[in-house]
Amino acid sequence: MTLRLGTRRSALALAQSGHVADAITRLTGVPVELVPIVSEGDVSRASLAQMGGTGVFATRLREALLAGECDLLVHSLKDLPVAGAPGLVVAGIPPREDARDVVVTLDPGGLGALPTGAVVGTGSPRRIAQLRRRAPRVNAKDLRGNVDSRMQRVRDGELAGIVLAAAGLSRLGLFDPAEDVDGPRPGLGAASDLYLEPLGLAEWPTAAGQGALAVEIREDAPSPVRQAVAALDDAASRLAVTIERAILADIEAGCHAPVGVHAEIDGDEARVRSVVYAIDGSTRVGVDRTESLTGGYSRTTGGGNGAIAADGADPTARAALIGSAIARRLLDRGAAGLVSRESPQ
């Protein structure tokens, strides 16, 4: 048996699909071939928010999977809508990579050295809001294109910088997340002429699921397919992204909304930072919590509001409850008004 893995044609999609294919073969001995598929998001030049968010990349791939054109898909989990697709299931979440954002510049001083009025590009409303809040002197600009074209616009001087996901740069061999260097550092390979500055998750929480991959199959997939994909699943990564995506779902925010959230699993505890931003950066609502994943009875607010019942038997179900309770806390503090006013500009 050879598994057919459906993938977008971009360099990043092919790279991360190749990583998953190699991992399946290494763990199970089952060969995997890549099946490139073109999505609407690959051919349209409209902004992601105008097209309905990054879920546009998943739609065509899912159609191909349901039609039997392939056996499995690999998504960047941050780009996957929180609502599941009928007939499909995320059967594997490999170990999560670096969840941080990275600012890419020609200037070795990074974001802090950019002059007033410098233009920084990103396709994410959440990153635009964070730039407007944390670096108000720069101008945030909506941006489309693959990693290579975005970096070239920095080289050409059209943009002073761009913001990208560390995990994507790592999968392309352009960034080493393990390098113990504070501040900007030269990129690797094709990015060696640029400076890459990782942004700390405490001040710059990223998209739900950022750094993680989701391997999706049909609900009625044959047992060999299910077993091959299940071999990839990492329990800690699944728990963390379950919390993050439950927060998005319960505040009714799509994967392109100005929401930063990051959960870190440490033994039986989950440390969660979540922030909802006004798109102009003027306002933010945040909740930081540490919650037990096993038993107990914890609360995110007083008076019973946001209580999490003890579960013990199912850590994933409890992770979802933790995310829901944090979402309620965010809503109590006014997050709904910020999400309803979100705008790509």
Side-chain angles (χ1 to χ4, degrees), residues 243-318:
I243 293 171
E244 294 167 10
R245 287 168 65 79
I247 292 172
L248 279 192
D250 279 47
I251 63 173
E252 298 184 355
C255 53
H256 62 292
V259 178
V261 56
H262 181 71
E264 183 176 347
I265 306 303
D266 183 8
D268 293 335
E269 288 188 335
R271 294 193 294 270
V272 189
R273 176 160 177 73
S274 54
V275 184
V276 182
Y277 299 90
I279 196 64
D280 63 2
S282 62
T283 308
R284 48 151 285 183
V285 173
V287 171
D288 292 344
R289 297 295 301 171
T290 297
E291 299 285 357
S292 170
L293 287 161
T294 57
Y297 193 86
S298 58
R299 302 177 184 272
T300 58
T301 65
N305 187 20
I308 306 171
D311 187 305
D314 186 351
T316 303
R318 181 163 174 80

Side-chain angles (χ1 to χ4, degrees), residues 195-206:
Y195 287 87
L196 278 58
E197 178 186 11
L199 301 171
L201 290 166
E203 296 185 346
W204 197 284
T206 51

Side-chain angles (χ1 to χ4, degrees), residues 105-334:
T105 62
L106 273 174
D107 191 317
L111 182 62
L114 296 182
T116 299
V119 180
V120 178
T122 171
S124 161
R126 185 259 311 164
R127 290 173 179 150
I128 289 174
Q130 289 174 321
L131 282 168
R132 288 172 174 168
R133 184 168 184 85
R134 304 208 65 84
R137 71 188 180 286
V138 307
N139 292 327
K141 178 180 179 180
D142 187 70
L143 180 66
R144 286 294 313 278
N146 60 33
V147 172
D148 287 341
S149 67
R150 294 185 188 202
M151 291 194 304
Q152 191 58 48
R153 293 171 75 172
V154 176
R155 295 187 181 98
D156 294 342
E158 179 183 348
L159 299 170
I162 55 177
V163 186
L164 299 171
L169 292 168
S170 175
R171 290 172 186 135
L172 289 169
L174 306 177
F175 172 73
D176 180 4
E179 187 178 2
D180 187 16
V181 176
D182 291 330
R185 80 283 301 268
L188 303 176
S192 60
D193 58 333
L194 300 171
Y195 287 87
L196 278 58
E197 178 186 11
L199 301 171
L201 290 166
E203 296 185 346
W204 197 284
T206 51
Q210 183 158 313
L213 299 177
V215 185
E216 198 168 40
I217 62 174
R218 292 186 298 276
E219 285 182 340
D220 62 354
S223 180
V225 174
R226 302 181 72 86
Q227 292 174 0
V229 173
L232 298 169
D233 203 59
D234 179 72
S237 298
R238 181 174 286 275
L239 292 172
V241 302
T242 295
I243 293 171
E244 294 167 10
R245 287 168 65 79
I247 292 172
L248 279 192
D250 279 47
I251 63 173
E252 298 184 355
C255 53
H256 62 292
V259 178
V261 56
H262 181 71
E264 183 176 347
I265 306 303
D266 183 8
D268 293 335
E269 288 188 335
R271 294 193 294 270
V272 189
R273 176 160 177 73
S274 54
V275 184
V276 182
Y277 299 90
I279 196 64
D280 63 2
S282 62
T283 308
R284 48 151 285 183
V285 173
V287 171
D288 292 344
R289 297 295 301 171
T290 297
E291 299 285 357
S292 170
L293 287 161
T294 57
Y297 193 86
S298 58
R299 302 177 184 272
T300 58
T301 65
N305 187 20
I308 306 171
D311 187 305
D314 186 351
T316 303
R318 181 163 174 80
L321 289 172
I322 289 171
S324 295
I326 291 173
R328 290 195 296 274
R329 179 63 164 166
L330 289 166
L331 292 171
D332 287 344
R333 294 185 175 184

